[in-house]
Amino acid sequence: MPGSGVVIAVTGAVDSTTVDALRAAALEEIAAGARRLVLDLSSLDFWDFNGMGAVAAAYRSATHVGASVALAGLSPTLEKRYRLTGMDKVVPLHRDVCAALAP
């Protein structure tokens, strides 16, 4: 529904072989009118710089149309890596999807 929050559940690994699907799904939801996009990473086992690049692409696309992107549910190890990049200052990280969707 245009103007609503959309959650994309990401599972397994995000790397060079899977990142295109994540990027395409995120950009498609933003183009369809999602005002708030949440990437649910609670079932993510691994991600590398490709995954972070997909988050950056979604963020750029979202801000261009006045939308937002947030992450939810990263494991402690992946959260530490994410925070080390400094991206959490731009694309917020929440403990779970409910927190990410809260007003």
Side-chain angles (χ1 to χ4, degrees), residues 3-26:
S4 65
V6 173
V7 177
I8 297 176
V10 183
T11 61
V14 177
D15 56 23
S16 63
T17 62
T18 60
V19 71
D20 289 339
L22 172 58
R23 185 180 295 113

Side-chain angles (χ1 to χ4, degrees), residues 61-94:
S61 181
T63 57
H64 184 70
V65 297
S68 66
V69 176
L71 306 183
L74 270 174
S75 71
T77 300
L78 296 179
E79 178 180 343
K80 181 178 177 181
R81 288 184 192 168
Y82 182 69
R83 291 191 187 282
L84 284 173
T85 69
M87 284 183 62
D88 61 306
K89 293 171 180 55
V90 179
V91 179
L93 175 61
H94 301 274

Side-chain angles (χ1 to χ4, degrees), residues 6-53:
V6 173
V7 177
I8 297 176
V10 183
T11 61
V14 177
D15 56 23
S16 63
T17 62
T18 60
V19 71
D20 289 339
L22 172 58
R23 185 180 295 113
L27 297 179
E28 180 179 312
E29 292 294 349
I30 293 165
R35 303 310 328 134
R36 183 183 298 174
L37 177 65
V38 177
L39 300 178
D40 178 1
L41 306 177
S42 59
S43 294
L44 187 68
D45 299 322
F46 173 83
W47 75 339
D48 61 13
F49 66 92
N50 293 292
M52 292 186 202

